[in-house]
Amino acid sequence: AGVRLGAVPLDFGKVLDFGFKARDELLLVTDDGKVHCFDLAGRRADFSLDLGEDVEAEGLAHALVFPDGLLLVTKFMRVLCVDDLGQPRAAQLAQLEMDQAP
């Protein structure tokens, strides 16, 4: 049902979570610590979020995308929050005292 608007190329790591930003842009968070953004036609959108070299080196275990931000857990159980995608900056929250992800 409906007309196909476009397609998103899935030529990167494992997708942990996806969701739409408030401006109808699709965010995909991958396990390699990267955030990809696409418009409704499947073209890469003008959005940049640098989580840092340490997050890319650790990789991500979990991600949650919500309309205004992200919640991320690295494979070393560090928790990061991006609470404003309009001015995206990752803030580290408390470290989880766990040996492995639940």
Side-chain angles (χ1 to χ4, degrees), residues 41-91:
R43 296 179 299 252
R44 287 203 180 264
D46 185 26
F47 176 79
S48 177
L49 174 58
D50 183 10
L51 297 173
E53 292 177 12
D54 52 340
V55 173
E56 287 187 25
E58 287 177 38
L60 294 173
H62 298 284
L64 176 66
V65 177
F66 50 97
D68 295 323
L70 306 167
L71 187 64
L72 310 165
V73 179
T74 71
K75 292 181 180 173
F76 293 156
M77 299 296 112
R78 291 190 309 130
V79 180
L80 303 165
C81 179
V82 178
D83 63 357
D84 182 0
L85 290 173
Q87 297 179 5
R89 288 177 300 185

Side-chain angles (χ1 to χ4, degrees), residues 77-80 92-97:
M77 299 296 112
R78 291 190 309 130
V79 180
L80 303 165
Q92 185 167 336
L93 304 178
Q95 178 124 359
L96 297 176
E97 297 294 329

Side-chain angles (χ1 to χ4, degrees), residues 27 34-35:
L27 287 182
K34 296 188 177 159
V35 180

